[in-house]
Amino acid sequence: MTGLAAGVLTRTDIHNIRHYVQYKYGDLPSERRAEIVADAMQRVVQRQLPDFPAAYKRQISTELLRSIATGKQMPIQEKHIFEACLSLSFEDEPELLAVLQVWTERCLGVKLERDVFRGIVDEAKHIISNPLLNMEAWDAVIGAAAARAENSGLLAEVIELTHTHTMNTGLRGKSRQFLMMAVLLVAAILSYYASYSLPFFDSEAKQPMKPISVEIKAKQPEIKQLQDGLPKELRYIEVDQTKLVQFLRKKSSLLAEEPYLSAILSAAKANNIHPLLLFAITGQEQAFVPKTSKNARDIANNPFNVFHSWQEFNTTIADSARIACKTINRISADRPANNDAFVWLNMEYAEDPNWSNGVSSIMDTMVRQIMIE
């Protein structure tokens, strides 16, 4: 049985593409470079999609880049491809289901009967339509592989495959343990389902095997409160707006003006984040957006460079501030208590390993001049 790849489009891939385009086409306008990067990323993704007709490949790759790589700022993996493919109409074009089955079998290194795979797809769609299950569509695939492996004596390999999958997706500690248990539970559920609806076949005689009754007693999941990832000193506090404006004006910052100032302060309060942390990020990312900058008005719409950069994602300051806050809270949610909050943010927020030092230093300076002096 083969294992899962680290990813279809990883953060390293994206970084390398951006670096190459910047090096090769540095003299082109930023908008044109962004188009070249997007086209290169789409080609990388399309090469690893199921062998659908070109129009479907474009549809799926565009959605993956929009919702996963850009929207969620996550690497694209096999599980994302599988879920995106579920939007296709298999009832109207059954040949698409066969293509997806071939791709899925290649990813997992297992063979599945057509009826079994159709049951997997149905289960995956059920998972997608029921978010309270707290599962992913790909869990149905891995669960089915586990059920198959259990009947062929390869369950240990599936567990190892799942372990690799959780490591590659960045899950830590209890999250990995939970997914491992979830996979085994899904395997049991699918085994139970298959024994009554989709009979297993003897590999030699090609005859349906006798259904095996499996009794599953569902255990109510233990509900635990998530810990507050950001430390107290980075949580919301009122700041002296007069001193803040004075500080920003010394930097010739466009963010000292409206609607930028109020939008950032409002987002900080709504998301319980220290306002100076947000401004410090704009200082690290865009030097507080000096008015003398040629594209100051455009940069000020996204001075946090959410979704990679202000060139690729130009929105409103209210929108980018909201997204920056959500991103900070999401990344910080599982921060271990003994890890520096800035360094922890750096691991996902920015590719520059010195980003955390810059943001921390800028915020210390702002705290001294605005909150203390």
Side-chain angles (χ1 to χ4, degrees), residues 8-9 14 38 41-42 44-50 52 56-87 103 308:
V8 174
L9 183 67
I14 296 173
M41 290 167 60
Q42 189 164 67
V44 170
V45 174
Q46 286 189 14
R47 282 199 297 268
Q48 300 191 58
L49 293 179
F52 295 134
Y56 290 115
K57 283 192 172 185
R58 285 195 298 272
Q59 173 189 329
I60 293 171
S61 62
T62 298
E63 173 60 22
L64 286 169
L65 289 171
R66 183 193 66 79
S67 62
I68 305 299
T70 301
K72 297 180 180 178
Q73 294 186 301
M74 295 171 59
I76 295 176
Q77 298 173 324
E78 287 88 350
K79 65 177 184 178
H80 301 128
I81 290 178
F82 180 77
E83 182 168 337
C85 291
L86 297 181
S87 64
W103 177 87
H308 304 302

Side-chain angles (χ1 to χ4, degrees), residues 100-171:
L100 179 60
Q101 179 177 345
V102 170
W103 177 87
T104 303
E105 290 176 339
R106 185 170 66 247
C107 286
L108 296 181
V110 297
K111 284 293 183 181
L112 301 165
E113 290 81 12
R114 179 61 56 84
D115 288 344
V116 171
F117 185 72
R118 186 176 291 110
I120 292 171
V121 169
D122 291 342
E123 180 66 20
K125 289 182 177 181
H126 174 71
I127 289 173
I128 291 175
S129 63
N130 291 273
L132 292 179
L133 292 175
N134 197 27
M135 297 174 65
E136 296 179 326
W138 192 242
D139 293 335
V141 179
I142 296 180
R148 276 290 185 265
E150 185 175 21
N151 281 272
S152 59
L154 298 175
L155 184 58
E157 291 190 31
V158 176
I159 294 176
E160 175 60 28
L161 178 149
T162 306
H163 172 72
T164 303
H165 172 64
T166 61
M167 292 297 292
N168 289 334
T169 52
L171 294 177

Side-chain angles (χ1 to χ4, degrees), residues 216-255:
I216 301 175
K217 295 182 179 180
K219 181 179 179 181
Q220 293 297 325
E222 182 181 357
I223 300 176
K224 297 182 178 180
Q225 295 295 325
L226 290 176
Q227 293 185 348
D228 196 350
L230 275 180
K232 183 179 179 180
E233 61 270 21
L234 294 182
R235 286 302 180 182
Y236 182 78
I237 187 174
E238 293 285 345
V239 300
D240 188 324
Q241 291 191 35
T242 300
K243 288 186 176 182
L244 173 59
V245 170
Q246 290 174 350
F247 177 91
L248 294 172
R249 283 177 177 170
K250 288 179 182 179
K251 306 290 184 181
S252 186
S253 173
L254 185 58
L255 304 181

Side-chain angles (χ1 to χ4, degrees), residues 306-371:
V306 295
F307 298 157
H308 304 302
S309 71
W310 62 269
Q311 296 102 321
E312 294 183 41
F313 186 73
N314 204 271
T315 179
T316 65
I317 182 59
D319 193 30
S320 66
R322 177 186 59 80
I323 294 171
C325 288
K326 297 294 185 184
T327 301
I328 291 169
N329 282 332
R330 176 180 60 79
I331 297 173
S332 302
D334 59 350
R335 180 185 66 88
N338 60 342
N339 283 59
D340 181 85
F342 292 98
V343 174
W344 189 260
L345 279 172
N346 195 162
M347 290 193 301
E348 184 173 337
Y349 197 103
E351 295 173 349
D352 179 5
N354 294 315
W355 181 90
S356 57
N357 294 331
V359 175
S360 176
S361 177
I362 292 171
M363 184 168 178
D364 285 345
T365 299
M366 296 185 75
V367 168
R368 286 196 306 272
Q369 297 186 24
I370 298 170
M371 307 294 291

